[in-house]
Amino acid sequence: MSAQAGAQQLRLHEALEQGKGNFPFLKAKRAEIHSAESRIKSVKTDYLPAFIVQDQYTYATSNSVAGAFLPNEGSALSPSGGIRPENHYTPTFGSFTTAMVDWKVFNFGKVKAQVNAAKADLARSQADYENELFQHQVKIIDAYLLLLINQKLVDAQRQNLERASIFKRVTDAAVSSGMRPGVDSSLAAAEYAKAQLLLLESQRSEKAQRLRFSELTGELRDSVQVDIMGFYSQLPIVPGEATSLLKNPALRFAQAQMDASLARSLAVKRSFLPSISLVGAGWGRGSGISNKDDSFHTDFSSGVKYQVFNYLVGVSTRWNLTGILKVRNDYHAEQFQVERFKSLYQTQQLQLDRQERESEIQFQLSLAQARLTPVQLAAARTAFNQAEARYQSGMTDLFTLAQSVNALNRAEVDKFVTTGNAWRSLLLKAAAAGDLDIFLSQINQ
């Protein structure tokens, strides 16, 4: 008892808050939400014009020929200089500075579809987090109740050991005085050893459950004790009308997955459409070759000095017509994903419907059992008192008394287990309905 008294007492709402804030997997889900939020901001920048500034200095020859050429995947060097009857391989310095604005003012909904897809992905991440948080809180409450049951079982087995110890001392004294046969001492020793084993097993189970519970709070502790609160002073009552299954976090997550897939498919479909851009640019060009008389100057200062300035404004339309082949296949792939998430949604809905019906059956059965165990306990205690009195008066043997002791121990254990299971079955109903208030509203926090 001293170990429990010195251990940290943790109430249920504190455990839920610790689990929410500390459990690493929930932290990962929150990071995923922040990532999706940044993704929206990133996609929205596609509304802004591209503003590109470049400044370069070169040292190159200036021979040029007439005629067109194909770019080498964008890496071809642009020719420079006029057409001459003979090649000049004397290099000169040159400079080029440009500023260009490319603003896709009309994109036929492509950017909007991408933004909507990013928002749908954020909604999916938030629904995923809410579902994981809900499921984790259900696990915390269930582990809390199991640890509470195990703590009660340790107390019950400790009381059982105290009874066995008392009877062992009394029996040993009676055998020593010749009032009882020697076999009674052996039976008493066997019952005492059995009581010790039951206590050790209950302590082992309690320690294991304590570690499982503390793991869910995000910090492993082997000394935490849960507060009994009001769980063993009352039984849960039948809750009112359950909330709609459509509010269940698991079902909302399945819906969000389907919505995100639909948004992605629309973004893929619209990516084929053209873009109309407003283009504006200005640039300055310097060269070691004079723009007036084609004279060569090989010094750096002559090459970097700007000789001409230009500007450009216009409208540009880009449309990759052959891209329809890739877009069509990508769109079909996303449509199959939509069908997949629809089927997953229907599967989740079916499972939740089954869980809700099972939880109602389990709750009614657990309540009935919890209401019967006090009757069982009272009868077992009466039988034990009668057997004890008869044994003290020599009207019965120790074997009969041991049976009454075992019956009392089982009744005490059943009382704690059935009461705890009644609360666990209420939690099962809350989990199936997707509403923890069904459970939390009935406890004194």
Side-chain angles (χ1 to χ4, degrees), residues 346-394:
Q346 293 168 356
T347 301
Q348 187 69 66
Q349 194 173 35
L350 191 62
Q351 291 176 347
L352 289 174
D353 188 36
R354 186 259 306 165
Q355 290 174 9
E356 185 179 37
R357 298 185 187 190
E358 283 185 353
S359 66
E360 179 61 29
I361 297 172
Q362 182 66 34
F363 181 67
Q364 296 298 335
L365 178 61
S366 298
L367 273 184
Q369 291 174 333
R371 289 170 182 148
L372 284 175
T373 47
V375 178
Q376 176 193 10
L377 180 59
R381 188 171 287 119
T382 300
F384 165 73
N385 292 333
Q386 291 173 349
E388 180 185 19
R390 290 170 64 85
Y391 179 77
Q392 296 290 350
S393 63

mmCIF file of all heavy atoms in Angstrom, residues 346-394:
data_model
loop_
_atom_site.group_PDB
_atom_site.id
_atom_site.type_symbol
_atom_site.label_atom_id
_atom_site.label_comp_id
_atom_site.label_asym_id
_atom_site.label_seq_id
_atom_site.Cartn_x
_atom_site.Cartn_y
_atom_site.Cartn_z
ATOM 1 N N GLN A 346 -17.296 3.086 -47.690
ATOM 2 C CA GLN A 346 -18.410 2.157 -47.466
ATOM 3 C C GLN A 346 -18.009 1.039 -46.501
ATOM 4 O O GLN A 346 -18.806 0.618 -45.653
ATOM 5 C CB GLN A 346 -18.860 1.578 -48.804
ATOM 6 C CG GLN A 346 -19.495 2.607 -49.732
ATOM 7 C CD GLN A 346 -19.674 2.091 -51.150
ATOM 8 O OE1 GLN A 346 -19.257 0.970 -51.477
ATOM 9 N NE2 GLN A 346 -20.297 2.890 -52.011
ATOM 10 N N THR A 347 -16.752 0.580 -46.607
ATOM 11 C CA THR A 347 -16.266 -0.442 -45.685
ATOM 12 C C THR A 347 -16.238 0.080 -44.258
ATOM 13 O O THR A 347 -16.675 -0.589 -43.312
ATOM 14 C CB THR A 347 -14.854 -0.899 -46.089
ATOM 15 O OG1 THR A 347 -14.885 -1.409 -47.412
ATOM 16 C CG2 THR A 347 -14.331 -1.968 -45.142
ATOM 17 N N GLN A 348 -15.747 1.310 -44.095
ATOM 18 C CA GLN A 348 -15.689 1.913 -42.761
ATOM 19 C C GLN A 348 -17.089 2.113 -42.191
ATOM 20 O O GLN A 348 -17.331 1.869 -41.004
ATOM 21 C CB GLN A 348 -14.967 3.260 -42.844
ATOM 22 C CG GLN A 348 -14.699 3.911 -41.494
ATOM 23 C CD GLN A 348 -13.680 3.158 -40.687
ATOM 24 O OE1 GLN A 348 -12.515 3.076 -41.034
ATOM 25 N NE2 GLN A 348 -14.099 2.593 -39.568
ATOM 26 N N GLN A 349 -18.008 2.541 -43.026
ATOM 27 C CA GLN A 349 -19.390 2.743 -42.585
ATOM 28 C C GLN A 349 -20.007 1.420 -42.124
ATOM 29 O O GLN A 349 -20.707 1.371 -41.098
ATOM 30 C CB GLN A 349 -20.196 3.356 -43.727
ATOM 31 C CG GLN A 349 -21.540 3.917 -43.317
ATOM 32 C CD GLN A 349 -22.193 4.653 -44.470
ATOM 33 O OE1 GLN A 349 -22.054 4.277 -45.636
ATOM 34 N NE2 GLN A 349 -22.911 5.719 -44.180
ATOM 35 N N LEU A 350 -19.744 0.355 -42.862
ATOM 36 C CA LEU A 350 -20.268 -0.954 -42.504
ATOM 37 C C LEU A 350 -19.686 -1.432 -41.177
ATOM 38 O O LEU A 350 -20.412 -1.961 -40.312
ATOM 39 C CB LEU A 350 -19.941 -1.951 -43.619
ATOM 40 C CG LEU A 350 -20.618 -3.326 -43.565
ATOM 41 C CD1 LEU A 350 -22.128 -3.195 -43.676
ATOM 42 C CD2 LEU A 350 -20.083 -4.215 -44.674
ATOM 43 N N GLN A 351 -18.398 -1.245 -40.992
ATOM 44 C CA GLN A 351 -17.763 -1.672 -39.749
ATOM 45 C C GLN A 351 -18.286 -0.893 -38.551
ATOM 46 O O GLN A 351 -18.526 -1.470 -37.485
ATOM 47 C CB GLN A 351 -16.243 -1.500 -39.866
ATOM 48 C CG GLN A 351 -15.577 -2.469 -40.835
ATOM 49 C CD GLN A 351 -14.094 -2.202 -40.992
ATOM 50 O OE1 GLN A 351 -13.580 -1.164 -40.568
ATOM 51 N NE2 GLN A 351 -13.387 -3.140 -41.623
ATOM 52 N N LEU A 352 -18.467 0.408 -38.710
ATOM 53 C CA LEU A 352 -18.961 1.219 -37.597
ATOM 54 C C LEU A 352 -20.390 0.854 -37.231
ATOM 55 O O LEU A 352 -20.751 0.854 -36.045
ATOM 56 C CB LEU A 352 -18.868 2.706 -37.959
ATOM 57 C CG LEU A 352 -17.464 3.290 -38.030
ATOM 58 C CD1 LEU A 352 -17.508 4.721 -38.541
ATOM 59 C CD2 LEU A 352 -16.781 3.230 -36.670
ATOM 60 N N ASP A 353 -21.196 0.542 -38.224
ATOM 61 C CA ASP A 353 -22.568 0.117 -37.959
ATOM 62 C C ASP A 353 -22.582 -1.181 -37.152
ATOM 63 O O ASP A 353 -23.341 -1.345 -36.189
ATOM 64 C CB ASP A 353 -23.323 -0.059 -39.276
ATOM 65 C CG ASP A 353 -24.806 -0.317 -39.067
ATOM 66 O OD1 ASP A 353 -25.382 0.261 -38.123
ATOM 67 O OD2 ASP A 353 -25.391 -1.093 -39.835
ATOM 68 N N ARG A 354 -21.698 -2.114 -37.543
ATOM 69 C CA ARG A 354 -21.603 -3.370 -36.799
ATOM 70 C C ARG A 354 -21.095 -3.137 -35.380
ATOM 71 O O ARG A 354 -21.607 -3.698 -34.417
ATOM 72 C CB ARG A 354 -20.677 -4.322 -37.569
ATOM 73 C CG ARG A 354 -20.596 -5.733 -36.976
ATOM 74 C CD ARG A 354 -19.332 -5.912 -36.155
ATOM 75 N NE ARG A 354 -18.161 -5.574 -36.934
ATOM 76 C CZ ARG A 354 -16.969 -5.361 -36.384
ATOM 77 N NH1 ARG A 354 -16.821 -5.412 -35.075
ATOM 78 N NH2 ARG A 354 -15.933 -5.043 -37.145
ATOM 79 N N GLN A 355 -20.071 -2.265 -35.227
ATOM 80 C CA GLN A 355 -19.528 -1.979 -33.905
ATOM 81 C C GLN A 355 -20.556 -1.332 -32.999
ATOM 82 O O GLN A 355 -20.602 -1.624 -31.795
ATOM 83 C CB GLN A 355 -18.298 -1.075 -34.033
ATOM 84 C CG GLN A 355 -17.090 -1.763 -34.649
ATOM 85 C CD GLN A 355 -15.951 -0.802 -34.902
ATOM 86 O OE1 GLN A 355 -15.985 0.349 -34.480
ATOM 87 N NE2 GLN A 355 -14.929 -1.271 -35.610
ATOM 88 N N GLU A 356 -21.386 -0.468 -33.572
ATOM 89 C CA GLU A 356 -22.409 0.192 -32.753
ATOM 90 C C GLU A 356 -23.420 -0.831 -32.214
ATOM 91 O O GLU A 356 -23.799 -0.787 -31.040
ATOM 92 C CB GLU A 356 -23.128 1.256 -33.579
ATOM 93 C CG GLU A 356 -24.118 2.075 -32.759
ATOM 94 C CD GLU A 356 -24.799 3.131 -33.603
ATOM 95 O OE1 GLU A 356 -25.099 2.857 -34.778
ATOM 96 O OE2 GLU A 356 -25.047 4.230 -33.079
ATOM 97 N N ARG A 357 -23.828 -1.764 -33.036
ATOM 98 C CA ARG A 357 -24.787 -2.772 -32.581
ATOM 99 C C ARG A 357 -24.146 -3.713 -31.564
ATOM 100 O O ARG A 357 -24.779 -4.067 -30.556
ATOM 101 C CB ARG A 357 -25.307 -3.562 -33.784
ATOM 102 C CG ARG A 357 -26.044 -2.698 -34.800
ATOM 103 C CD ARG A 357 -26.644 -3.516 -35.914
ATOM 104 N NE ARG A 357 -27.205 -2.662 -36.960
ATOM 105 C CZ ARG A 357 -27.958 -3.110 -37.962
ATOM 106 N NH1 ARG A 357 -28.212 -4.401 -38.064
ATOM 107 N NH2 ARG A 357 -28.420 -2.276 -38.873
ATOM 108 N N GLU A 358 -22.904 -4.104 -31.813
ATOM 109 C CA GLU A 358 -22.219 -4.974 -30.862
ATOM 110 C C GLU A 358 -22.016 -4.268 -29.522
ATOM 111 O O GLU A 358 -22.145 -4.890 -28.459
ATOM 112 C CB GLU A 358 -20.867 -5.400 -31.428
ATOM 113 C CG GLU A 358 -20.953 -6.485 -32.489
ATOM 114 C CD GLU A 358 -19.572 -6.953 -32.911
ATOM 115 O OE1 GLU A 358 -18.565 -6.351 -32.470
ATOM 116 O OE2 GLU A 358 -19.492 -7.923 -33.688
ATOM 117 N N SER A 359 -21.668 -2.992 -29.564
ATOM 118 C CA SER A 359 -21.416 -2.256 -28.321
ATOM 119 C C SER A 359 -22.677 -2.146 -27.475
ATOM 120 O O SER A 359 -22.605 -2.179 -26.240
ATOM 121 C CB SER A 359 -20.862 -0.864 -28.632
ATOM 122 O OG SER A 359 -21.831 -0.070 -29.297
ATOM 123 N N GLU A 360 -23.832 -2.010 -28.113
ATOM 124 C CA GLU A 360 -25.089 -1.948 -27.364
ATOM 125 C C GLU A 360 -25.352 -3.282 -26.653
ATOM 126 O O GLU A 360 -25.744 -3.301 -25.469
ATOM 127 C CB GLU A 360 -26.236 -1.610 -28.315
ATOM 128 C CG GLU A 360 -27.611 -1.538 -27.643
ATOM 129 C CD GLU A 360 -27.680 -0.472 -26.571
ATOM 130 O OE1 GLU A 360 -26.958 0.540 -26.672
ATOM 131 O OE2 GLU A 360 -28.460 -0.659 -25.605
ATOM 132 N N ILE A 361 -25.135 -4.391 -27.354
ATOM 133 C CA ILE A 361 -25.312 -5.712 -26.735
ATOM 134 C C ILE A 361 -24.332 -5.885 -25.572
ATOM 135 O O ILE A 361 -24.709 -6.339 -24.482
ATOM 136 C CB ILE A 361 -25.112 -6.817 -27.790
ATOM 137 C CG1 ILE A 361 -26.179 -6.718 -28.877
ATOM 138 C CG2 ILE A 361 -25.140 -8.194 -27.140
ATOM 139 C CD1 ILE A 361 -25.944 -7.649 -30.052
ATOM 140 N N GLN A 362 -23.080 -5.507 -25.802
ATOM 141 C CA GLN A 362 -22.064 -5.653 -24.773
ATOM 142 C C GLN A 362 -22.364 -4.781 -23.563
ATOM 143 O O GLN A 362 -22.170 -5.203 -22.407
ATOM 144 C CB GLN A 362 -20.697 -5.288 -25.351
ATOM 145 C CG GLN A 362 -19.526 -5.447 -24.388
ATOM 146 C CD GLN A 362 -19.289 -6.884 -24.003
ATOM 147 O OE1 GLN A 362 -19.496 -7.784 -24.813
ATOM 148 N NE2 GLN A 362 -18.870 -7.119 -22.772
ATOM 149 N N PHE A 363 -22.856 -3.579 -23.791
ATOM 150 C CA PHE A 363 -23.150 -2.666 -22.692
ATOM 151 C C PHE A 363 -24.275 -3.211 -21.817
ATOM 152 O O PHE A 363 -24.180 -3.203 -20.579
ATOM 153 C CB PHE A 363 -23.531 -1.288 -23.253
ATOM 154 C CG PHE A 363 -23.833 -0.267 -22.196
ATOM 155 C CD1 PHE A 363 -22.847 0.192 -21.354
ATOM 156 C CD2 PHE A 363 -25.120 0.228 -22.046
ATOM 157 C CE1 PHE A 363 -23.121 1.142 -20.374
ATOM 158 C CE2 PHE A 363 -25.409 1.165 -21.076
ATOM 159 C CZ PHE A 363 -24.403 1.628 -20.234
ATOM 160 N N GLN A 364 -25.345 -3.697 -22.438
ATOM 161 C CA GLN A 364 -26.456 -4.234 -21.660
ATOM 162 C C GLN A 364 -26.018 -5.466 -20.867
ATOM 163 O O GLN A 364 -26.400 -5.639 -19.698
ATOM 164 C CB GLN A 364 -27.618 -4.587 -22.599
ATOM 165 C CG GLN A 364 -28.241 -3.395 -23.320
ATOM 166 C CD GLN A 364 -28.856 -2.383 -22.362
ATOM 167 O OE1 GLN A 364 -29.242 -2.714 -21.245
ATOM 168 N NE2 GLN A 364 -28.963 -1.139 -22.814
ATOM 169 N N LEU A 365 -25.206 -6.336 -21.480
ATOM 170 C CA LEU A 365 -24.732 -7.531 -20.784
ATOM 171 C C LEU A 365 -23.806 -7.161 -19.627
ATOM 172 O O LEU A 365 -23.917 -7.727 -18.524
ATOM 173 C CB LEU A 365 -24.000 -8.435 -21.776
ATOM 174 C CG LEU A 365 -23.402 -9.726 -21.198
ATOM 175 C CD1 LEU A 365 -24.491 -10.608 -20.611
ATOM 176 C CD2 LEU A 365 -22.629 -10.481 -22.278
ATOM 177 N N SER A 366 -22.906 -6.222 -19.845
ATOM 178 C CA SER A 366 -21.982 -5.820 -18.783
ATOM 179 C C SER A 366 -22.711 -5.191 -17.613
ATOM 180 O O SER A 366 -22.353 -5.424 -16.446
ATOM 181 C CB SER A 366 -20.941 -4.838 -19.344
ATOM 182 O OG SER A 366 -20.168 -5.444 -20.352
ATOM 183 N N LEU A 367 -23.715 -4.382 -17.908
ATOM 184 C CA LEU A 367 -24.504 -3.783 -16.825
ATOM 185 C C LEU A 367 -25.209 -4.858 -16.005
ATOM 186 O O LEU A 367 -25.243 -4.796 -14.767
ATOM 187 C CB LEU A 367 -25.528 -2.802 -17.400
ATOM 188 C CG LEU A 367 -25.084 -1.365 -17.634
ATOM 189 C CD1 LEU A 367 -26.257 -0.527 -18.119
ATOM 190 C CD2 LEU A 367 -24.497 -0.753 -16.375
ATOM 191 N N ALA A 368 -25.793 -5.836 -16.682
ATOM 192 C CA ALA A 368 -26.487 -6.917 -15.982
ATOM 193 C C ALA A 368 -25.516 -7.676 -15.090
ATOM 194 O O ALA A 368 -25.836 -8.021 -13.935
ATOM 195 C CB ALA A 368 -27.149 -7.848 -16.988
ATOM 196 N N GLN A 369 -24.311 -7.955 -15.580
ATOM 197 C CA GLN A 369 -23.322 -8.664 -14.776
ATOM 198 C C GLN A 369 -22.879 -7.828 -13.580
ATOM 199 O O GLN A 369 -22.722 -8.346 -12.469
ATOM 200 C CB GLN A 369 -22.118 -9.023 -15.646
ATOM 201 C CG GLN A 369 -22.410 -10.076 -16.699
ATOM 202 C CD GLN A 369 -21.235 -10.299 -17.636
ATOM 203 O OE1 GLN A 369 -20.422 -9.402 -17.854
ATOM 204 N NE2 GLN A 369 -21.143 -11.497 -18.210
ATOM 205 N N ALA A 370 -22.652 -6.520 -13.820
ATOM 206 C CA ALA A 370 -22.204 -5.657 -12.728
ATOM 207 C C ALA A 370 -23.269 -5.526 -11.642
ATOM 208 O O ALA A 370 -22.938 -5.342 -10.463
ATOM 209 C CB ALA A 370 -21.839 -4.280 -13.281
ATOM 210 N N ARG A 371 -24.536 -5.622 -11.991
ATOM 211 C CA ARG A 371 -25.603 -5.535 -10.997
ATOM 212 C C ARG A 371 -25.754 -6.840 -10.201
ATOM 213 O O ARG A 371 -26.271 -6.832 -9.080
ATOM 214 C CB ARG A 371 -26.919 -5.187 -11.684
ATOM 215 C CG ARG A 371 -26.973 -3.746 -12.192
ATOM 216 C CD ARG A 371 -28.172 -3.512 -13.068
ATOM 217 N NE ARG A 371 -28.197 -2.134 -13.588
ATOM 218 C CZ ARG A 371 -28.692 -1.783 -14.765
ATOM 219 N NH1 ARG A 371 -29.189 -2.718 -15.574
ATOM 220 N NH2 ARG A 371 -28.671 -0.525 -15.152
ATOM 221 N N LEU A 372 -25.313 -7.953 -10.791
ATOM 222 C CA LEU A 372 -25.424 -9.241 -10.105
ATOM 223 C C LEU A 372 -24.256 -9.515 -9.166
ATOM 224 O O LEU A 372 -24.420 -10.224 -8.158
ATOM 225 C CB LEU A 372 -25.511 -10.377 -11.137
ATOM 226 C CG LEU A 372 -26.851 -10.547 -11.857
ATOM 227 C CD1 LEU A 372 -26.741 -11.614 -12.920
ATOM 228 C CD2 LEU A 372 -27.955 -10.906 -10.850
ATOM 229 N N THR A 373 -23.091 -8.986 -9.448
ATOM 230 C CA THR A 373 -21.914 -9.322 -8.635
ATOM 231 C C THR A 373 -22.032 -8.863 -7.182
ATOM 232 O O THR A 373 -21.505 -9.548 -6.300
ATOM 233 C CB THR A 373 -20.637 -8.743 -9.271
ATOM 234 O OG1 THR A 373 -20.837 -7.373 -9.636
ATOM 235 C CG2 THR A 373 -20.237 -9.542 -10.489
ATOM 236 N N PRO A 374 -22.687 -7.729 -6.849
ATOM 237 C CA PRO A 374 -22.864 -7.421 -5.428
ATOM 238 C C PRO A 374 -23.666 -8.498 -4.687
ATOM 239 O O PRO A 374 -23.395 -8.791 -3.516
ATOM 240 C CB PRO A 374 -23.607 -6.082 -5.439
ATOM 241 C CG PRO A 374 -23.242 -5.459 -6.739
ATOM 242 C CD PRO A 374 -23.136 -6.592 -7.690
ATOM 243 N N VAL A 375 -24.655 -9.084 -5.389
ATOM 244 C CA VAL A 375 -25.418 -10.175 -4.787
ATOM 245 C C VAL A 375 -24.505 -11.371 -4.555
ATOM 246 O O VAL A 375 -24.528 -12.022 -3.493
ATOM 247 C CB VAL A 375 -26.605 -10.544 -5.699
ATOM 248 C CG1 VAL A 375 -27.392 -11.708 -5.105
ATOM 249 C CG2 VAL A 375 -27.505 -9.339 -5.930
ATOM 250 N N GLN A 376 -23.684 -11.675 -5.560
ATOM 251 C CA GLN A 376 -22.728 -12.774 -5.427
ATOM 252 C C GLN A 376 -21.763 -12.521 -4.278
ATOM 253 O O GLN A 376 -21.466 -13.426 -3.482
ATOM 254 C CB GLN A 376 -21.959 -12.944 -6.737
ATOM 255 C CG GLN A 376 -20.868 -14.009 -6.673
ATOM 256 C CD GLN A 376 -19.921 -13.931 -7.878
ATOM 257 O OE1 GLN A 376 -19.973 -12.976 -8.640
ATOM 258 N NE2 GLN A 376 -19.074 -14.923 -8.027
ATOM 259 N N LEU A 377 -21.251 -11.284 -4.168
ATOM 260 C CA LEU A 377 -20.291 -10.949 -3.126
ATOM 261 C C LEU A 377 -20.916 -11.061 -1.744
ATOM 262 O O LEU A 377 -20.293 -11.594 -0.807
ATOM 263 C CB LEU A 377 -19.741 -9.536 -3.358
ATOM 264 C CG LEU A 377 -18.720 -9.031 -2.345
ATOM 265 C CD1 LEU A 377 -17.510 -9.959 -2.295
ATOM 266 C CD2 LEU A 377 -18.298 -7.602 -2.682
ATOM 267 N N ALA A 378 -22.163 -10.562 -1.599
ATOM 268 C CA ALA A 378 -22.835 -10.642 -0.295
ATOM 269 C C ALA A 378 -23.052 -12.097 0.114
ATOM 270 O O ALA A 378 -22.842 -12.472 1.279
ATOM 271 C CB ALA A 378 -24.159 -9.883 -0.350
ATOM 272 N N ALA A 379 -23.463 -12.933 -0.841
ATOM 273 C CA ALA A 379 -23.689 -14.347 -0.537
ATOM 274 C C ALA A 379 -22.373 -15.034 -0.183
ATOM 275 O O ALA A 379 -22.317 -15.854 0.752
ATOM 276 C CB ALA A 379 -24.340 -15.031 -1.726
ATOM 277 N N ALA A 380 -21.299 -14.729 -0.918
ATOM 278 C CA ALA A 380 -20.001 -15.343 -0.639
ATOM 279 C C ALA A 380 -19.468 -14.914 0.718
ATOM 280 O O ALA A 380 -18.874 -15.727 1.446
ATOM 281 C CB ALA A 380 -19.006 -14.966 -1.745
ATOM 282 N N ARG A 381 -19.683 -13.636 1.081
ATOM 283 C CA ARG A 381 -19.220 -13.164 2.388
ATOM 284 C C ARG A 381 -20.001 -13.828 3.517
ATOM 285 O O ARG A 381 -19.429 -14.206 4.548
ATOM 286 C CB ARG A 381 -19.353 -11.644 2.460
ATOM 287 C CG ARG A 381 -18.729 -11.052 3.706
ATOM 288 C CD ARG A 381 -18.681 -9.535 3.651
ATOM 289 N NE ARG A 381 -17.653 -9.070 2.720
ATOM 290 C CZ ARG A 381 -17.890 -8.329 1.649
ATOM 291 N NH1 ARG A 381 -19.132 -8.000 1.351
ATOM 292 N NH2 ARG A 381 -16.900 -7.942 0.874
ATOM 293 N N THR A 382 -21.313 -14.000 3.323
ATOM 294 C CA THR A 382 -22.124 -14.688 4.330
ATOM 295 C C THR A 382 -21.680 -16.141 4.478
ATOM 296 O O THR A 382 -21.538 -16.657 5.594
ATOM 297 C CB THR A 382 -23.611 -14.628 3.931
ATOM 298 O OG1 THR A 382 -24.023 -13.261 3.854
ATOM 299 C CG2 THR A 382 -24.466 -15.353 4.947
ATOM 300 N N ALA A 383 -21.445 -16.815 3.351
ATOM 301 C CA ALA A 383 -20.996 -18.200 3.389
ATOM 302 C C ALA A 383 -19.645 -18.317 4.083
ATOM 303 O O ALA A 383 -19.397 -19.271 4.850
ATOM 304 C CB ALA A 383 -20.925 -18.762 1.976
ATOM 305 N N PHE A 384 -18.765 -17.356 3.826
ATOM 306 C CA PHE A 384 -17.450 -17.375 4.466
ATOM 307 C C PHE A 384 -17.580 -17.199 5.973
ATOM 308 O O PHE A 384 -16.933 -17.916 6.759
ATOM 309 C CB PHE A 384 -16.566 -16.276 3.875
ATOM 310 C CG PHE A 384 -15.343 -15.986 4.682
ATOM 311 C CD1 PHE A 384 -14.271 -16.875 4.703
ATOM 312 C CD2 PHE A 384 -15.250 -14.834 5.455
ATOM 313 C CE1 PHE A 384 -13.147 -16.610 5.463
ATOM 314 C CE2 PHE A 384 -14.117 -14.578 6.217
ATOM 315 C CZ PHE A 384 -13.062 -15.458 6.219
ATOM 316 N N ASN A 385 -18.409 -16.237 6.409
ATOM 317 C CA ASN A 385 -18.588 -16.006 7.847
ATOM 318 C C ASN A 385 -19.160 -17.251 8.529
ATOM 319 O O ASN A 385 -18.742 -17.622 9.642
ATOM 320 C CB ASN A 385 -19.502 -14.805 8.073
ATOM 321 C CG ASN A 385 -18.843 -13.502 7.640
ATOM 322 O OD1 ASN A 385 -17.609 -13.379 7.647
ATOM 323 N ND2 ASN A 385 -19.653 -12.511 7.257
ATOM 324 N N GLN A 386 -20.124 -17.879 7.847
ATOM 325 C CA GLN A 386 -20.719 -19.091 8.431
ATOM 326 C C GLN A 386 -19.687 -20.217 8.501
ATOM 327 O O GLN A 386 -19.589 -20.932 9.513
ATOM 328 C CB GLN A 386 -21.928 -19.531 7.609
ATOM 329 C CG GLN A 386 -23.113 -18.578 7.706
ATOM 330 C CD GLN A 386 -24.228 -18.960 6.759
ATOM 331 O OE1 GLN A 386 -24.054 -19.809 5.882
ATOM 332 N NE2 GLN A 386 -25.384 -18.308 6.922
ATOM 333 N N ALA A 387 -18.922 -20.400 7.417
ATOM 334 C CA ALA A 387 -17.910 -21.461 7.410
ATOM 335 C C ALA A 387 -16.840 -21.202 8.459
ATOM 336 O O ALA A 387 -16.343 -22.139 9.114
ATOM 337 C CB ALA A 387 -17.290 -21.571 6.023
ATOM 338 N N GLU A 388 -16.477 -19.921 8.612
ATOM 339 C CA GLU A 388 -15.469 -19.574 9.613
ATOM 340 C C GLU A 388 -15.963 -19.913 11.019
ATOM 341 O O GLU A 388 -15.221 -20.491 11.845
ATOM 342 C CB GLU A 388 -15.122 -18.084 9.515
ATOM 343 C CG GLU A 388 -14.080 -17.642 10.521
ATOM 344 C CD GLU A 388 -13.843 -16.138 10.471
ATOM 345 O OE1 GLU A 388 -14.697 -15.415 9.937
ATOM 346 O OE2 GLU A 388 -12.788 -15.703 10.972
ATOM 347 N N ALA A 389 -17.215 -19.565 11.298
ATOM 348 C CA ALA A 389 -17.783 -19.853 12.620
ATOM 349 C C ALA A 389 -17.869 -21.362 12.860
ATOM 350 O O ALA A 389 -17.558 -21.849 13.957
ATOM 351 C CB ALA A 389 -19.161 -19.205 12.748
ATOM 352 N N ARG A 390 -18.277 -22.096 11.849
ATOM 353 C CA ARG A 390 -18.398 -23.550 11.990
ATOM 354 C C ARG A 390 -17.010 -24.186 12.174
ATOM 355 O O ARG A 390 -16.863 -25.151 12.937
ATOM 356 C CB ARG A 390 -19.090 -24.136 10.752
ATOM 357 C CG ARG A 390 -20.573 -23.774 10.678
ATOM 358 C CD ARG A 390 -21.166 -24.165 9.329
ATOM 359 N NE ARG A 390 -21.125 -25.615 9.130
ATOM 360 C CZ ARG A 390 -22.047 -26.457 9.568
ATOM 361 N NH1 ARG A 390 -23.104 -25.997 10.249
ATOM 362 N NH2 ARG A 390 -21.944 -27.754 9.341
ATOM 363 N N TYR A 391 -16.022 -23.647 11.471
ATOM 364 C CA TYR A 391 -14.677 -24.203 11.622
ATOM 365 C C TYR A 391 -14.133 -23.921 13.017
ATOM 366 O O TYR A 391 -13.503 -24.786 13.643
ATOM 367 C CB TYR A 391 -13.741 -23.618 10.556
ATOM 368 C CG TYR A 391 -12.323 -24.126 10.668
ATOM 369 C CD1 TYR A 391 -11.992 -25.396 10.230
ATOM 370 C CD2 TYR A 391 -11.325 -23.331 11.222
ATOM 371 C CE1 TYR A 391 -10.697 -25.877 10.337
ATOM 372 C CE2 TYR A 391 -10.021 -23.788 11.328
ATOM 373 C CZ TYR A 391 -9.718 -25.063 10.885
ATOM 374 O OH TYR A 391 -8.422 -25.533 11.003
ATOM 375 N N GLN A 392 -14.379 -22.705 13.522
ATOM 376 C CA GLN A 392 -13.898 -22.356 14.853
ATOM 377 C C GLN A 392 -14.543 -23.227 15.929
ATOM 378 O O GLN A 392 -13.919 -23.531 16.948
ATOM 379 C CB GLN A 392 -14.187 -20.868 15.139
ATOM 380 C CG GLN A 392 -13.452 -19.890 14.245
ATOM 381 C CD GLN A 392 -11.954 -19.838 14.509
ATOM 382 O OE1 GLN A 392 -11.474 -20.400 15.496
ATOM 383 N NE2 GLN A 392 -11.225 -19.184 13.621
ATOM 384 N N SER A 393 -15.779 -23.606 15.667
ATOM 385 C CA SER A 393 -16.491 -24.443 16.658
ATOM 386 C C SER A 393 -16.271 -25.930 16.426
ATOM 387 O O SER A 393 -16.841 -26.757 17.132
ATOM 388 C CB SER A 393 -17.982 -24.131 16.620
ATOM 389 O OG SER A 393 -18.527 -24.457 15.343
ATOM 390 N N GLY A 394 -15.482 -26.273 15.401
ATOM 391 C CA GLY A 394 -15.187 -27.666 15.141
ATOM 392 C C GLY A 394 -16.270 -28.423 14.418
ATOM 393 O O GLY A 394 -16.236 -29.659 14.350
#
